Amino acid sequence: MAKAAKPKKVVSMEEALWKSADKLRGSVEPAEYKHVVLSLFFLKFASDKFEAQRKMIAEKYGDKFVDNIAFYTKDNVFYLPAESRWSYIMENAKQADIAIKIDTALHEIESKNASLSGALPDNYYSRLHLDSGCLSSLLDLINGIDLQKETDKDVFGRVYEYCLKEFALKEGKGKGEFYTPKSVVALLCELIQPYSGIVYDGACGSGGMFVQSMRFVDEHKGNKRNISVYGQEYTDTTRRLCKMNLAIRGISANLGEFAANTFLNDRHKDLKADFALENPPFNQKDWREPTALLDDPRWSGYKVPPVSNANYGWLLNTLSKLGQNGVGAVLLANGALSTDGDEYEIRKQMIK
């Protein structure tokens, strides 16, 4: 008697995408995985949404409107030129110049959609010199993900967060960008309740604090138009991921003109925010030169935060960005509450 076939394991979309990252092992540095995979997934996601919108426009308004960009942007759908569509990428997936075609596709999408300005990789895949066979296999895996079956409106965000979590676990919390668990971010939002006003994050990473702030507004039947977000990120590639993460959800943000160190090149010097949400790097050492930033206005009236640890530099930076009635929540290591010396004096002064 023949054995019954084992039921095929159902692999979640998140798992499928994570498997696709493993295709890059040995070809790309582990810290690059997230940028390569998430940008390609964004391309697939944006293209699927575009094709669905294009079909709807043709059926409702006729073919003459299918290339009218306004008919896409009004519904938070990115307009994709022909060479940026996933179908074109897959038609050319086996070509030796597929990396150049992907770079061109991302460049053209950004040029046609103002909200994506500065969000997508610039000649990234060409510069990595990825093996074309490896890249083709990765495209095949992502191509097998059927986004149209998904009912979750925030499917890209869901997968995005899953991948960042897995990358953070794989790299270790001391490497790359540290991932803040969504449950912790949600708790911070519940504590400060950012219903309306300006929300600031001086170490915004991939934008998780901003996304959760908008979720809080949605869940409490507020109006997202009453929220403005301001942030800063040190790493250019992470800043791009943040812009992509926010743009796909229709969240506009001021992240400064470019990536920069918040302490050495503050892009929001005069900001007075209503709320601040931050998870800065824990126990950051040598964050300034011993003679640098001694007269910085952010710690005017306080002791100067020590060079050996930036925790209180982050706290005072956040405090300086809050308006008179502003409220902030900053996630720090436990040791920040048991320090002595100048940090103890700063803590005492803040409480007073």
Side-chain angles (χ1 to χ4, degrees), residues 232-237 239 255-261 265 267:
Q232 185 161 342
E233 170 55 34
Y234 177 64
T235 307
D236 182 65
T237 49
R239 180 179 179 274
L255 303 182
E257 299 89 346
F258 45 80
N261 183 306
N265 193 355
R267 306 312 300 165

Side-chain angles (χ1 to χ4, degrees), residues 293-305 316 319-320 342 344-352:
L293 303 177
L294 298 180
D295 298 318
D296 195 286
R298 284 172 287 189
W299 25 90
S300 176
Y302 294 89
K303 292 280 188 180
V304 178
L316 290 177
L319 185 62
S320 74
D342 286 347
Y344 171 79
E345 292 301 321
I346 294 170
R347 192 161 69 248
K348 188 163 66 172
Q349 285 173 276
M350 288 182 74
I351 292 170
K352 284 183 179 181

Side-chain angles (χ1 to χ4, degrees), residues 6 25 45 51 83 90 94 109 125 135 177 206 224 282 335:
K6 289 184 179 180
R25 189 171 292 166
F45 173 79
E51 295 295 352
E83 63 271 29
M90 293 310 300
K94 310 303 181 187
I109 294 174
Y125 294 86
L135 187 52
E177 297 93 348
S206 56
K224 289 192 288 188
F282 287 0

Side-chain angles (χ1 to χ4, degrees), residues 143-178:
N143 190 51
I145 300 172
D146 188 356
L147 291 171
Q148 298 306 311
K149 289 183 178 179
E150 293 289 328
T151 56
D152 183 357
K153 291 182 179 179
D154 191 24
V155 59
F156 178 81
R158 193 186 81 209
V159 174
Y160 187 99
E161 288 172 357
Y162 175 88
C163 285
L164 286 179
K165 179 183 71 175
E166 293 299 319
F167 283 124
L169 290 172
K170 194 174 187 67
E171 294 174 9
K173 70 177 182 178
K175 300 176 183 177
E177 297 93 348
F178 184 70

